[in-house]
Each structure stands twice: as structure tokens, then as C-alpha cells.
Amino acid sequence: MDSLTGTSAGTLFRNEDNGYSVISLRTGEGLVTVTGTMPALMDGELLELEGVWTEHPQYGRQFKMSSLRIQKPQTLSAIEKYLGSGLIRGVGPSTARLIVETFGKDTLEIMSTQPERLTEVPKIGKIRMKQISRSFLEQQASRSTYIFLQQYGVSPALSAKIYKAYREGAEAIIRDNPYRLIDDIQGVGFLTADRIALSLGITQDSPFRLQAGIKYALQDASVSGGHTCLTEDELIEKSAELLKAPGAEIKRLLDELTLKRQLWVDLVAGTRWVSLPSLRKAEIDIARRLLSLCGVSQQFMPHHIQGRISQFEHERGIRFSKAQREAVSQAAAHGLAVITGGPGTGKTTLINCLIHVLGSQSKILLAAPTGRAAKRMSEASGMEASTVHRLLQYGGEEGVFQVNRENPLNCECVIVDEVSMMDVFLMRSLLDALQPGTRLVLVGDADQLPSVGPGNVLRDVLKSGMVPSIRLSEIFRQEQDSMIVLNAHRINQGQEPVLNSPGSDFFFEHKPDASQAAQSIVSLCLSRLPQYLGLKDSMRHIQVLSPTRKGVCGVQMLNARLQAAFNPPAPHKAELQFGETTLRQGDKVMHIKNNYQLEWELRDGSTGQGVFNGDIGFITGIEAEDRLVYVLYDDEKTVAYEYGELEELDLAYCLSIHKSQGSEFPVVILPMVGGPKMLLTRNLLYTGVTRARQLVVLVGRQEVLSMMVSNNLERRRYSLLQHWLTILSGGADL
């Protein structure tokens, strides 16, 4: 093994996916070419390397590195160069200069031990201080772990997570049993752990490996398909294919995992169902809590309820149907009620009526799974509504709900809208936060797409028949003139929608191929619809929704077309390339995953935390040098995204129908151009159409529309909540 010392003098090649790099190293004998897997390096860093000399047939003599040590910079210019190299998120050359001018040779020590002092630097506020400090400490602390893990293709961000969990013992723990990473580190799946394990010499038939693979197959079914369980036969088949192992051995190890209570097997109607303990417990807890709520009687007398309903009808000038009146009565008289129905059936009006019936003396809390759904709920009721996560105060150091069984909600009633979007974990957390005697009303459309997370809560509850529920089908009188509402119900019933009738709000524009459809969608958004409707800000009012991500009329390509039309490049617009996406000042973007720690700042300087999946905003500024992107949400909340957080942003000129759940838009445009049959379903079309308030425009081929209406294929989602509700209601003891 040879040793080599020198300073980095430029990166000749780097693969960001695996960290493999070719660099120039300045030594006492001149420039040397060094190859190997290494962290991103800045020019001028002092390196101590170990490896071997090799002779490349084309590039000549090279040093093939096996390990390296990086010395801290000592001089002011070296410190400034190090900070401004791009390795510290949020710090570019100009910011680095200001930091070094403020703290001199003590800069690195202060950033390590007193990061709060960064606010002494001009242009650095509290939020930015936290961002810089976090990035600096992660970069410092995780470099050795990063160097070890990068040879296995682990990303820098994930390396930082692993280091944070295991600290200095990271390498020893991973060498001992890499499969621990799956259980301990969010973001590490079986494939990553398996790659490390096999590289370290763990054999393919190792029980560690096979048992980890079985659990992974079950976890993957939860993440990719929303299942809370799989049949034993299906799990064995999936695991055997993944692990290239005999089914009999998989069955033996599955039995071992069951005995150790790492997995559960339940016999339901002659079928053996396998569950992860966390998902099984979540569904059982939900069933128990819902049934206990059903047994709670409320203080309102029937005559009082009916009188208050009549008063509400008189004040609003409306007349409820029998089912609508019954829905309010049930919700007021019971500890738990479920109200479900399609668009125009009066769910929002019933929520307002229930608030009226319960009276001003009752403390009522309103919530929905997404920020946009909560905002709609607030506008419709005149009361504040929040996301379920905010209601339960998600956050803190541990990233948990602060409102829970020990610290429950202080209220008489909780009303939740868009319940179809709630997965088993969120529903369980909500139920845990209710103190005895609190009324719960769940409202939603059971025909919408299910939650992104695991479970099928609303449908399972309704199918069980064990919970007081009302299904609304009669369209409210005020909505009967809307073809959006009428066509949504026609689609849901498998009937062709009525198109292009005079004075309609539901149009179909025929285009024979996908390219023509895409061109038409752009012109509709940019000029034709704004002129027709008199829209001044069409980006805020018009939303394109696509059933697919790929293809000419898929989300990705339509976003590129619409971005070029609405927000073309210009000298005064800063932009940033992130992967295959160009983010530009003025772009319409969506936050695509819940991030409860992400900080925002209001115009008055006050701050808070939490940006959620489905939040739509606009890029107001880009600091390319410091790799920061500023996004304004709801015209009031500004979020500064570091470069490493940009994966949580996506262009939002066009959204997938799945991503649009819980949102409503004045105008919706839907391409009808074909695609995989499993995506072009009645359920998906229904969900897309019901996102529009004022106008729906379908663009494409009539036969594609007809095919979607007739395609009632639904990807089955395995869950056991209905089963637990049934057997627990019969007095079973689990």
C-alpha cells in the first residue's frame, strides 16, 4: 500500500450517483491523477491518501485511492475558499467572505461550537443561520462515514442520516449487520442494505439477509401499493423472487419471524394474512377507538336537533332531503358519524348545519389531511380549519405528534373532511388525541382515490357496517345546473358524460393525436381560456391534470411545455438546474412530500414550521451562488429551500391526478390521449373531474374517454380494518 500527500487541484470527472471521481492532486513532484470513490472536494484541500499506483493504457500513471484523510484549512483564504466551495448549503463565495471577515481564524471553531453567532454576519437571519449551521455540522461530522458508505452507492444525505443515528460507531455497526439499517434509518431500503452486505462478504443464503428480504417485501407492498398486509402465499412468492431463494426456506424463515413477533399471521376467512406489527396494531387501534366512540351517547335531544336543522334551512333558504337531515341528526346524536357522498350532495352544507346545531357553546375543531383541503374548509365554513398534522402539533425534536392520548384535544367535536386521503397511521394518531366524550364526524367521498399511505380507512369503515354512516346520493338543488357535478355522477355510474351542451361548464375538444392535444392544452392555458373567462392570472386559476407521468401529454412533458410558454427564460430571471428539471424565478411549483420541520417566514417576520404534500406556490427568488430557492405559499409564507431539499419540489403547471387529491381548482384541463390501462380508470377520471369548480375541458380522443368510463378496474388494496371492526364489535379479545 502506497501513501500520497498533496492538495486537490481540480475535479476532472465525478459521478454524483456513486461518488466515483477523477481528480488532480498537487504534490511536491507535480500534478498527479487520482481515481476512486470520494466525497466532493474543493480546490486546495490538503489530502492524505492511501492506495496503489496503476498504469492506464490511455491516461498513463495514476494513483488508485482506497482511503483518504482531509485536513482542515488553516489560512484565512483557505477557510474562505472552503466555505464558499459549494459544500456548505446556503453559502457561496460572497457569503463565505462575509463570514470570514466577521470571525477571522476562529471561523470554523465558532461555526462548530457557537453557530448562533452566524446572525452577527450581515444578510444572515435566524432561519438561514440554522440552515448553514445544520449543513456545516453535517458536512463536518459525516465525512468519514460518507467516505465509507459512498463505495456502496449511498448518497451524502443518507450518509448524514446514518451518521446521526450511529455517530462514531457507524462503520462498526454496519460491518456487523448492514440489515440493521432498514429498521433504524428511514430512507434505507433492503436493496441498499443488501448491496452493502454482499460487498462486505455476507452470503446470499444468510438468514440475516433472507429475513430482512421478507420484511422488505412486506414494507414495499405497503409503500408502493398501500397494502397493510399480504396473503402468505403472495408474500412467499414475492420474497422468493426478490431473494432468489427456495419458497420452502422462505416459509421456514417466515414462521421464525412470526414466532419472534417481527411479523404477524392472521387467519381470515380461510386465508393467512401477513402483516408488519406496526400496521396491524394501527388497524386494531383504529377499530377499538371507533367502536368505543360509537358507544358514547350525546346530550342533544332529537327535538332539539330537528328544530335547529329547520332553523338552519330557513336561514339559508334551502330544504334538506331525508338523507341529508338524517346525516346531521346522526352526527349530532352520536359520538361518531361518517358522512359520504359525491360532489354536489351537500357535504359542505351539512358540515355548516352541524356547526349550527351544536351551537356556539360547543368548541368545534375542523381539519383536513392537506393544506389546500383545510383552506377550502375554512372558506366554506367561516371557521378556522387546519391540517390534521397541525391540529395534532406534529414536530419537536423527535418529530412526533405533541397532541396525543396523554395530551388530548380540548374540544367537544372534531369534524374531518376528505377522509379518503387519511392513511392508517394518521387516523390512529387522530383517534388517540380524542378525549372521552369528544364527538367525531368523518366526511369524505368513498369513490375518490384512496390515501397515498397504507390502508383504506374510509372504505373499510363503510364496508364493515359497524359505524353509524350515511351515504348521500341526491344532488343538492343548487348544483343541478352544473354539468361538472352531473357528469361526475354519470362517470361514477359508468355512463358517458354529456359534452359541449349550450351554456355548459363541461367541454370536450377533439384532437386526433397526443402532440396536437399537447399544443391545444398550451394554447387553452395561455390565451384561449383566459380570454373566454376574463382571467388576469391564468396560472392560478387553470390547472392541467394528467393521468400519467410519461408520454407527450404526461406530467413531465406538459410541465416542460407549459413552463416554456408561461415562464420562458429571460436575462432578469434567475434559474437553477436540478436533475432534469430547470427551476426558474416565477415558476409554479408544488411541494410533493410532508416536511414538518421545514421552516417558513411570514411577511411580518414571524416564523413557523411545516410544508405539506400538495401545497402549491411560486418561486420568488433564486440565489444560484448560495444554492437557495425561495417559494411563496398562499401569498404569505416564504420558504427557503436548500439545494438538498429541492427534491421535495416539482413543477406544478401540470399535476398528476393522484397529486391533486384534496385540492380544488376553478378550471381543470384533462388530456384524453391513451396510456396504460391500469392508469386510465373510471376512478381516476372521476377524481380528476371532481377537482374542478367552474369548468372542465377534456382534450383528446373520444374513444379514450369512453374507455376510461367503462374501465372500472381498481388496483385491489389489501387491508384488515374491516375484519377487526367486525370481530371486535362481536366482543372478541385480541
Side-chain angles (χ1 to χ4, degrees), residues 481-556:
D481 294 333
S482 169
M483 291 308 302
I484 297 174
V485 171
L486 294 174
N487 279 337
H489 286 272
R490 289 181 65 87
I491 291 167
N492 203 31
Q493 294 160 14
Q495 301 173 20
E496 294 274 333
V498 178
L499 306 172
N500 301 336
S501 59
S504 176
D505 54 7
F506 200 103
F507 293 95
F508 186 94
E509 183 170 276
H510 176 75
K511 294 296 174 183
D513 62 56
S515 183
Q516 289 180 338
Q519 290 175 6
S520 182
I521 288 170
V522 172
S523 73
L524 282 165
C525 292
L526 195 62
S527 57
R528 291 160 58 197
L529 284 178
Q531 290 172 11
Y532 174 68
L533 298 169
L535 301 177
K536 293 182 179 179
D537 190 350
S538 56
M539 266 202 297
R540 293 177 182 270
H541 288 83
I542 301 173
Q543 185 61 59
V544 182
L545 303 178
S546 178
T548 63
R549 289 201 60 82
K550 305 292 186 181
V552 176
C553 285
V555 171
Q556 293 174 345

Side-chain angles (χ1 to χ4, degrees), residues 40-77:
L41 299 169
M42 73 165 203
D43 294 354
E45 284 199 277
L46 181 61
L47 309 177
E48 296 178 6
L49 311 175
E50 288 190 347
V52 295
W53 289 98
T54 62
E55 193 71 29
H56 193 277
Q58 183 176 350
Y59 300 110
R61 191 168 186 249
Q62 298 180 339
F63 190 80
K64 186 178 180 181
M65 182 209 77
S66 58
S67 68
L68 87 165
R69 289 182 61 198
I70 305 170
Q71 302 295 323
K72 285 185 177 180
Q74 300 297 320
T75 66
L76 290 181
S77 62

